[in-house]
mmCIF file with all atom_site columns, all heavy atoms in Angstrom:
data_model
loop_
_atom_site.group_PDB
_atom_site.id
_atom_site.type_symbol
_atom_site.label_atom_id
_atom_site.label_alt_id
_atom_site.label_comp_id
_atom_site.label_asym_id
_atom_site.label_entity_id
_atom_site.label_seq_id
_atom_site.pdbx_PDB_ins_code
_atom_site.Cartn_x
_atom_site.Cartn_y
_atom_site.Cartn_z
_atom_site.occupancy
_atom_site.B_iso_or_equiv
_atom_site.pdbx_formal_charge
_atom_site.auth_seq_id
_atom_site.auth_comp_id
_atom_site.auth_asym_id
_atom_site.auth_atom_id
_atom_site.pdbx_PDB_model_num
ATOM 1   N N   . ARG A 1 82 ? 1.923   -3.932 19.595 1.00 0.00 ? 82 ARG A N   1
ATOM 2   C CA  . ARG A 1 82 ? 0.764   -3.020 19.879 1.00 0.00 ? 82 ARG A CA  1
ATOM 3   C C   . ARG A 1 82 ? 0.355   -2.227 18.600 1.00 0.00 ? 82 ARG A C   1
ATOM 4   O O   . ARG A 1 82 ? -0.616  -1.606 18.617 1.00 0.00 ? 82 ARG A O   1
ATOM 5   C CB  . ARG A 1 82 ? 1.043   -2.155 20.965 1.00 0.00 ? 82 ARG A CB  1
ATOM 6   C CG  . ARG A 1 82 ? 1.306   -2.811 22.375 1.00 0.00 ? 82 ARG A CG  1
ATOM 7   C CD  . ARG A 1 82 ? 0.215   -2.469 23.166 1.00 0.00 ? 82 ARG A CD  1
ATOM 8   N NE  . ARG A 1 82 ? 0.300   -2.975 24.479 1.00 0.00 ? 82 ARG A NE  1
ATOM 9   C CZ  . ARG A 1 82 ? -0.802  -3.468 25.116 1.00 0.00 ? 82 ARG A CZ  1
ATOM 10  N NH1 . ARG A 1 82 ? -1.990  -3.422 24.621 1.00 0.00 ? 82 ARG A NH1 1
ATOM 11  N NH2 . ARG A 1 82 ? -0.630  -3.931 26.278 1.00 0.00 ? 82 ARG A NH2 1
ATOM 12  N N   . PHE A 1 83 ? 1.231   -2.407 17.644 1.00 0.00 ? 83 PHE A N   1
ATOM 13  C CA  . PHE A 1 83 ? 1.020   -1.588 16.362 1.00 0.00 ? 83 PHE A CA  1
ATOM 14  C C   . PHE A 1 83 ? 0.503   -2.577 15.277 1.00 0.00 ? 83 PHE A C   1
ATOM 15  O O   . PHE A 1 83 ? 1.291   -3.588 14.966 1.00 0.00 ? 83 PHE A O   1
ATOM 16  C CB  . PHE A 1 83 ? 2.132   -0.903 15.818 1.00 0.00 ? 83 PHE A CB  1
ATOM 17  C CG  . PHE A 1 83 ? 1.908   -0.039 14.564 1.00 0.00 ? 83 PHE A CG  1
ATOM 18  C CD1 . PHE A 1 83 ? 1.214   1.201  14.705 1.00 0.00 ? 83 PHE A CD1 1
ATOM 19  C CD2 . PHE A 1 83 ? 2.336   -0.531 13.409 1.00 0.00 ? 83 PHE A CD2 1
ATOM 20  C CE1 . PHE A 1 83 ? 1.066   2.009  13.530 1.00 0.00 ? 83 PHE A CE1 1
ATOM 21  C CE2 . PHE A 1 83 ? 2.027   0.191  12.215 1.00 0.00 ? 83 PHE A CE2 1
ATOM 22  C CZ  . PHE A 1 83 ? 1.467   1.368  12.307 1.00 0.00 ? 83 PHE A CZ  1
ATOM 23  N N   . ASN A 1 84 ? -0.653  -2.351 14.612 1.00 0.00 ? 84 ASN A N   1
ATOM 24  C CA  . ASN A 1 84 ? -1.107  -3.113 13.536 1.00 0.00 ? 84 ASN A CA  1
ATOM 25  C C   . ASN A 1 84 ? -1.591  -2.177 12.353 1.00 0.00 ? 84 ASN A C   1
ATOM 26  O O   . ASN A 1 84 ? -1.931  -1.102 12.721 1.00 0.00 ? 84 ASN A O   1
ATOM 27  C CB  . ASN A 1 84 ? -2.221  -4.071 14.030 1.00 0.00 ? 84 ASN A CB  1
ATOM 28  C CG  . ASN A 1 84 ? -1.857  -5.164 14.985 1.00 0.00 ? 84 ASN A CG  1
ATOM 29  O OD1 . ASN A 1 84 ? -0.830  -5.809 14.617 1.00 0.00 ? 84 ASN A OD1 1
ATOM 30  N ND2 . ASN A 1 84 ? -2.391  -5.158 16.076 1.00 0.00 ? 84 ASN A ND2 1
ATOM 31  N N   . TYR A 1 85 ? -1.604  -2.841 11.204 1.00 0.00 ? 85 TYR A N   1
ATOM 32  C CA  . TYR A 1 85 ? -2.125  -1.938 10.147 1.00 0.00 ? 85 TYR A CA  1
ATOM 33  C C   . TYR A 1 85 ? -2.947  -2.853 9.205  1.00 0.00 ? 85 TYR A C   1
ATOM 34  O O   . TYR A 1 85 ? -2.730  -3.959 9.125  1.00 0.00 ? 85 TYR A O   1
ATOM 35  C CB  . TYR A 1 85 ? -0.957  -1.196 9.414  1.00 0.00 ? 85 TYR A CB  1
ATOM 36  C CG  . TYR A 1 85 ? -0.139  -2.117 8.667  1.00 0.00 ? 85 TYR A CG  1
ATOM 37  C CD1 . TYR A 1 85 ? -0.318  -2.451 7.239  1.00 0.00 ? 85 TYR A CD1 1
ATOM 38  C CD2 . TYR A 1 85 ? 1.127   -2.552 9.256  1.00 0.00 ? 85 TYR A CD2 1
ATOM 39  C CE1 . TYR A 1 85 ? 0.532   -3.177 6.565  1.00 0.00 ? 85 TYR A CE1 1
ATOM 40  C CE2 . TYR A 1 85 ? 1.930   -3.467 8.547  1.00 0.00 ? 85 TYR A CE2 1
ATOM 41  C CZ  . TYR A 1 85 ? 1.649   -3.729 7.195  1.00 0.00 ? 85 TYR A CZ  1
ATOM 42  O OH  . TYR A 1 85 ? 2.436   -4.582 6.476  1.00 0.00 ? 85 TYR A OH  1
ATOM 43  N N   . GLU A 1 86 ? -3.675  -2.055 8.441  1.00 0.00 ? 86 GLU A N   1
ATOM 44  C CA  . GLU A 1 86 ? -4.616  -2.642 7.326  1.00 0.00 ? 86 GLU A CA  1
ATOM 45  C C   . GLU A 1 86 ? -4.497  -1.926 6.094  1.00 0.00 ? 86 GLU A C   1
ATOM 46  O O   . GLU A 1 86 ? -4.714  -0.566 6.160  1.00 0.00 ? 86 GLU A O   1
ATOM 47  C CB  . GLU A 1 86 ? -6.123  -2.955 7.919  1.00 0.00 ? 86 GLU A CB  1
ATOM 48  C CG  . GLU A 1 86 ? -6.954  -3.496 6.927  1.00 0.00 ? 86 GLU A CG  1
ATOM 49  C CD  . GLU A 1 86 ? -8.369  -3.720 7.321  1.00 0.00 ? 86 GLU A CD  1
ATOM 50  O OE1 . GLU A 1 86 ? -8.686  -3.136 8.381  1.00 0.00 ? 86 GLU A OE1 1
ATOM 51  O OE2 . GLU A 1 86 ? -9.207  -4.323 6.632  1.00 0.00 ? 86 GLU A OE2 1
ATOM 52  N N   . LEU A 1 87 ? -4.286  -2.421 5.089  1.00 0.00 ? 87 LEU A N   1
ATOM 53  C CA  . LEU A 1 87 ? -4.395  -1.736 3.730  1.00 0.00 ? 87 LEU A CA  1
ATOM 54  C C   . LEU A 1 87 ? -5.718  -2.055 3.001  1.00 0.00 ? 87 LEU A C   1
ATOM 55  O O   . LEU A 1 87 ? -5.905  -3.240 2.768  1.00 0.00 ? 87 LEU A O   1
ATOM 56  C CB  . LEU A 1 87 ? -3.291  -2.146 2.862  1.00 0.00 ? 87 LEU A CB  1
ATOM 57  C CG  . LEU A 1 87 ? -1.829  -2.000 3.645  1.00 0.00 ? 87 LEU A CG  1
ATOM 58  C CD1 . LEU A 1 87 ? -0.840  -2.595 2.715  1.00 0.00 ? 87 LEU A CD1 1
ATOM 59  C CD2 . LEU A 1 87 ? -1.486  -0.566 3.934  1.00 0.00 ? 87 LEU A CD2 1
ATOM 60  N N   . ILE A 1 88 ? -6.534  -1.107 2.820  1.00 0.00 ? 88 ILE A N   1
ATOM 61  C CA  . ILE A 1 88 ? -7.871  -1.322 2.119  1.00 0.00 ? 88 ILE A CA  1
ATOM 62  C C   . ILE A 1 88 ? -7.804  -0.791 0.729  1.00 0.00 ? 88 ILE A C   1
ATOM 63  O O   . ILE A 1 88 ? -7.615  0.366  0.417  1.00 0.00 ? 88 ILE A O   1
ATOM 64  C CB  . ILE A 1 88 ? -8.974  -0.818 2.813  1.00 0.00 ? 88 ILE A CB  1
ATOM 65  C CG1 . ILE A 1 88 ? -9.100  -1.427 4.306  1.00 0.00 ? 88 ILE A CG1 1
ATOM 66  C CG2 . ILE A 1 88 ? -10.283 -0.916 2.176  1.00 0.00 ? 88 ILE A CG2 1
ATOM 67  C CD1 . ILE A 1 88 ? -10.155 -0.733 5.173  1.00 0.00 ? 88 ILE A CD1 1
ATOM 68  N N   . ASP A 1 89 ? -7.913  -1.689 -0.280 1.00 0.00 ? 89 ASP A N   1
ATOM 69  C CA  . ASP A 1 89 ? -7.915  -1.287 -1.698 1.00 0.00 ? 89 ASP A CA  1
ATOM 70  C C   . ASP A 1 89 ? -9.519  -1.054 -1.949 1.00 0.00 ? 89 ASP A C   1
ATOM 71  O O   . ASP A 1 89 ? -10.145 -2.118 -1.965 1.00 0.00 ? 89 ASP A O   1
ATOM 72  C CB  . ASP A 1 89 ? -7.496  -2.389 -2.573 1.00 0.00 ? 89 ASP A CB  1
ATOM 73  C CG  . ASP A 1 89 ? -7.388  -1.999 -4.004 1.00 0.00 ? 89 ASP A CG  1
ATOM 74  O OD1 . ASP A 1 89 ? -7.989  -1.026 -4.351 1.00 0.00 ? 89 ASP A OD1 1
ATOM 75  O OD2 . ASP A 1 89 ? -6.645  -2.661 -4.899 1.00 0.00 ? 89 ASP A OD2 1
ATOM 76  N N   . TYR A 1 90 ? -9.926  0.164  -1.893 1.00 0.00 ? 90 TYR A N   1
ATOM 77  C CA  . TYR A 1 90 ? -11.345 0.467  -2.149 1.00 0.00 ? 90 TYR A CA  1
ATOM 78  C C   . TYR A 1 90 ? -11.935 0.098  -3.369 1.00 0.00 ? 90 TYR A C   1
ATOM 79  O O   . TYR A 1 90 ? -13.273 -0.065 -3.548 1.00 0.00 ? 90 TYR A O   1
ATOM 80  C CB  . TYR A 1 90 ? -11.646 1.779  -1.626 1.00 0.00 ? 90 TYR A CB  1
ATOM 81  C CG  . TYR A 1 90 ? -11.059 2.879  -2.393 1.00 0.00 ? 90 TYR A CG  1
ATOM 82  C CD1 . TYR A 1 90 ? -11.424 3.331  -3.620 1.00 0.00 ? 90 TYR A CD1 1
ATOM 83  C CD2 . TYR A 1 90 ? -9.880  3.404  -2.023 1.00 0.00 ? 90 TYR A CD2 1
ATOM 84  C CE1 . TYR A 1 90 ? -10.794 4.219  -4.395 1.00 0.00 ? 90 TYR A CE1 1
ATOM 85  C CE2 . TYR A 1 90 ? -9.197  4.445  -2.619 1.00 0.00 ? 90 TYR A CE2 1
ATOM 86  C CZ  . TYR A 1 90 ? -9.586  4.835  -3.798 1.00 0.00 ? 90 TYR A CZ  1
ATOM 87  O OH  . TYR A 1 90 ? -8.955  5.806  -4.606 1.00 0.00 ? 90 TYR A OH  1
ATOM 88  N N   . ALA A 1 91 ? -11.101 -0.120 -4.380 1.00 0.00 ? 91 ALA A N   1
ATOM 89  C CA  . ALA A 1 91 ? -11.615 -0.347 -5.732 1.00 0.00 ? 91 ALA A CA  1
ATOM 90  C C   . ALA A 1 91 ? -11.946 -1.966 -5.758 1.00 0.00 ? 91 ALA A C   1
ATOM 91  O O   . ALA A 1 91 ? -12.933 -2.450 -6.366 1.00 0.00 ? 91 ALA A O   1
ATOM 92  C CB  . ALA A 1 91 ? -10.691 -0.017 -6.902 1.00 0.00 ? 91 ALA A CB  1
ATOM 93  N N   . LYS A 1 92 ? -11.037 -2.677 -5.127 1.00 0.00 ? 92 LYS A N   1
ATOM 94  C CA  . LYS A 1 92 ? -11.264 -4.233 -5.084 1.00 0.00 ? 92 LYS A CA  1
ATOM 95  C C   . LYS A 1 92 ? -12.136 -4.659 -3.983 1.00 0.00 ? 92 LYS A C   1
ATOM 96  O O   . LYS A 1 92 ? -12.736 -5.812 -3.971 1.00 0.00 ? 92 LYS A O   1
ATOM 97  C CB  . LYS A 1 92 ? -9.805  -4.922 -4.977 1.00 0.00 ? 92 LYS A CB  1
ATOM 98  C CG  . LYS A 1 92 ? -9.137  -4.845 -6.216 1.00 0.00 ? 92 LYS A CG  1
ATOM 99  C CD  . LYS A 1 92 ? -7.808  -5.755 -6.141 1.00 0.00 ? 92 LYS A CD  1
ATOM 100 C CE  . LYS A 1 92 ? -6.965  -5.613 -7.244 1.00 0.00 ? 92 LYS A CE  1
ATOM 101 N NZ  . LYS A 1 92 ? -5.668  -6.408 -7.082 1.00 0.00 ? 92 LYS A NZ  1
ATOM 102 N N   . ASN A 1 93 ? -12.156 -3.873 -2.846 1.00 0.00 ? 93 ASN A N   1
ATOM 103 C CA  . ASN A 1 93 ? -13.014 -4.360 -1.809 1.00 0.00 ? 93 ASN A CA  1
ATOM 104 C C   . ASN A 1 93 ? -13.879 -3.379 -1.255 1.00 0.00 ? 93 ASN A C   1
ATOM 105 O O   . ASN A 1 93 ? -13.763 -2.873 -0.111 1.00 0.00 ? 93 ASN A O   1
ATOM 106 C CB  . ASN A 1 93 ? -11.933 -4.845 -0.701 1.00 0.00 ? 93 ASN A CB  1
ATOM 107 C CG  . ASN A 1 93 ? -12.484 -5.688 0.377  1.00 0.00 ? 93 ASN A CG  1
ATOM 108 O OD1 . ASN A 1 93 ? -13.658 -5.983 0.368  1.00 0.00 ? 93 ASN A OD1 1
ATOM 109 N ND2 . ASN A 1 93 ? -11.723 -6.212 1.193  1.00 0.00 ? 93 ASN A ND2 1
ATOM 110 N N   . PRO A 1 94 ? -15.014 -2.878 -1.992 1.00 0.00 ? 94 PRO A N   1
ATOM 111 C CA  . PRO A 1 94 ? -15.840 -1.863 -1.537 1.00 0.00 ? 94 PRO A CA  1
ATOM 112 C C   . PRO A 1 94 ? -16.771 -2.319 -0.163 1.00 0.00 ? 94 PRO A C   1
ATOM 113 O O   . PRO A 1 94 ? -17.072 -1.372 0.435  1.00 0.00 ? 94 PRO A O   1
ATOM 114 C CB  . PRO A 1 94 ? -16.727 -1.638 -2.726 1.00 0.00 ? 94 PRO A CB  1
ATOM 115 C CG  . PRO A 1 94 ? -16.631 -2.806 -3.499 1.00 0.00 ? 94 PRO A CG  1
ATOM 116 C CD  . PRO A 1 94 ? -15.276 -3.447 -3.335 1.00 0.00 ? 94 PRO A CD  1
ATOM 117 N N   . VAL A 1 95 ? -16.882 -3.544 -0.080 1.00 0.00 ? 95 VAL A N   1
ATOM 118 C CA  . VAL A 1 95 ? -17.630 -3.958 1.088  1.00 0.00 ? 95 VAL A CA  1
ATOM 119 C C   . VAL A 1 95 ? -16.823 -3.739 2.318  1.00 0.00 ? 95 VAL A C   1
ATOM 120 O O   . VAL A 1 95 ? -17.483 -3.344 3.352  1.00 0.00 ? 95 VAL A O   1
ATOM 121 C CB  . VAL A 1 95 ? -18.038 -5.555 0.897  1.00 0.00 ? 95 VAL A CB  1
ATOM 122 C CG1 . VAL A 1 95 ? -18.619 -6.096 2.195  1.00 0.00 ? 95 VAL A CG1 1
ATOM 123 C CG2 . VAL A 1 95 ? -18.819 -5.675 -0.216 1.00 0.00 ? 95 VAL A CG2 1
ATOM 124 N N   . ARG A 1 96 ? -15.556 -4.062 2.321  1.00 0.00 ? 96 ARG A N   1
ATOM 125 C CA  . ARG A 1 96 ? -14.789 -3.762 3.507  1.00 0.00 ? 96 ARG A CA  1
ATOM 126 C C   . ARG A 1 96 ? -14.675 -2.302 3.810  1.00 0.00 ? 96 ARG A C   1
ATOM 127 O O   . ARG A 1 96 ? -14.754 -1.917 4.949  1.00 0.00 ? 96 ARG A O   1
ATOM 128 C CB  . ARG A 1 96 ? -13.344 -4.294 3.283  1.00 0.00 ? 96 ARG A CB  1
ATOM 129 C CG  . ARG A 1 96 ? -12.309 -3.920 4.437  1.00 0.00 ? 96 ARG A CG  1
ATOM 130 C CD  . ARG A 1 96 ? -12.775 -4.654 5.643  1.00 0.00 ? 96 ARG A CD  1
ATOM 131 N NE  . ARG A 1 96 ? -12.022 -4.120 6.740  1.00 0.00 ? 96 ARG A NE  1
ATOM 132 C CZ  . ARG A 1 96 ? -12.376 -3.458 7.837  1.00 0.00 ? 96 ARG A CZ  1
ATOM 133 N NH1 . ARG A 1 96 ? -13.649 -3.124 7.975  1.00 0.00 ? 96 ARG A NH1 1
ATOM 134 N NH2 . ARG A 1 96 ? -11.563 -3.094 8.796  1.00 0.00 ? 96 ARG A NH2 1
ATOM 135 N N   . LEU A 1 97 ? -14.576 -1.352 2.713  1.00 0.00 ? 97 LEU A N   1
ATOM 136 C CA  . LEU A 1 97 ? -14.727 -0.074 2.928  1.00 0.00 ? 97 LEU A CA  1
ATOM 137 C C   . LEU A 1 97 ? -15.961 0.353  3.528  1.00 0.00 ? 97 LEU A C   1
ATOM 138 O O   . LEU A 1 97 ? -15.980 1.320  4.474  1.00 0.00 ? 97 LEU A O   1
ATOM 139 C CB  . LEU A 1 97 ? -14.478 0.745  1.553  1.00 0.00 ? 97 LEU A CB  1
ATOM 140 C CG  . LEU A 1 97 ? -14.447 2.216  1.614  1.00 0.00 ? 97 LEU A CG  1
ATOM 141 C CD1 . LEU A 1 97 ? -13.269 2.780  2.433  1.00 0.00 ? 97 LEU A CD1 1
ATOM 142 C CD2 . LEU A 1 97 ? -14.376 2.788  0.114  1.00 0.00 ? 97 LEU A CD2 1
ATOM 143 N N   . GLN A 1 98 ? -17.019 -0.045 3.040  1.00 0.00 ? 98 GLN A N   1
ATOM 144 C CA  . GLN A 1 98 ? -18.396 0.323  3.678  1.00 0.00 ? 98 GLN A CA  1
ATOM 145 C C   . GLN A 1 98 ? -18.498 -0.106 5.052  1.00 0.00 ? 98 GLN A C   1
ATOM 146 O O   . GLN A 1 98 ? -18.938 0.564  5.931  1.00 0.00 ? 98 GLN A O   1
ATOM 147 C CB  . GLN A 1 98 ? -19.464 -0.370 2.776  1.00 0.00 ? 98 GLN A CB  1
ATOM 148 C CG  . GLN A 1 98 ? -20.867 0.065  3.211  1.00 0.00 ? 98 GLN A CG  1
ATOM 149 C CD  . GLN A 1 98 ? -20.988 1.619  3.047  1.00 0.00 ? 98 GLN A CD  1
ATOM 150 O OE1 . GLN A 1 98 ? -20.620 2.261  2.060  1.00 0.00 ? 98 GLN A OE1 1
ATOM 151 N NE2 . GLN A 1 98 ? -21.614 2.228  4.145  1.00 0.00 ? 98 GLN A NE2 1
ATOM 152 N N   . ASN A 1 99 ? -18.022 -1.339 5.309  1.00 0.00 ? 99 ASN A N   1
ATOM 153 C CA  . ASN A 1 99 ? -18.044 -1.797 6.810  1.00 0.00 ? 99 ASN A CA  1
ATOM 154 C C   . ASN A 1 99 ? -17.215 -0.922 7.726  1.00 0.00 ? 99 ASN A C   1
ATOM 155 O O   . ASN A 1 99 ? -17.536 -0.512 8.783  1.00 0.00 ? 99 ASN A O   1
ATOM 156 C CB  . ASN A 1 99 ? -17.470 -3.269 6.841  1.00 0.00 ? 99 ASN A CB  1
ATOM 157 C CG  . ASN A 1 99 ? -18.532 -4.226 6.321  1.00 0.00 ? 99 ASN A CG  1
ATOM 158 O OD1 . ASN A 1 99 ? -19.691 -3.933 6.170  1.00 0.00 ? 99 ASN A OD1 1
ATOM 159 N ND2 . ASN A 1 99 ? -18.029 -5.393 6.070  1.00 0.00 ? 99 ASN A ND2 1
#
Side-chain angles (χ1 to χ4, degrees):
R82 296 249 182 216
F83 180 81
N84 292 307
Y85 68 91
E86 179 182 12
L87 307 173
I88 297 179
D89 185 346
Y90 57 84
K92 286 185 179 178
N93 199 350
V95 174
R96 176 63 186 119
L97 178 64
Q98 186 60 43
N99 290 342

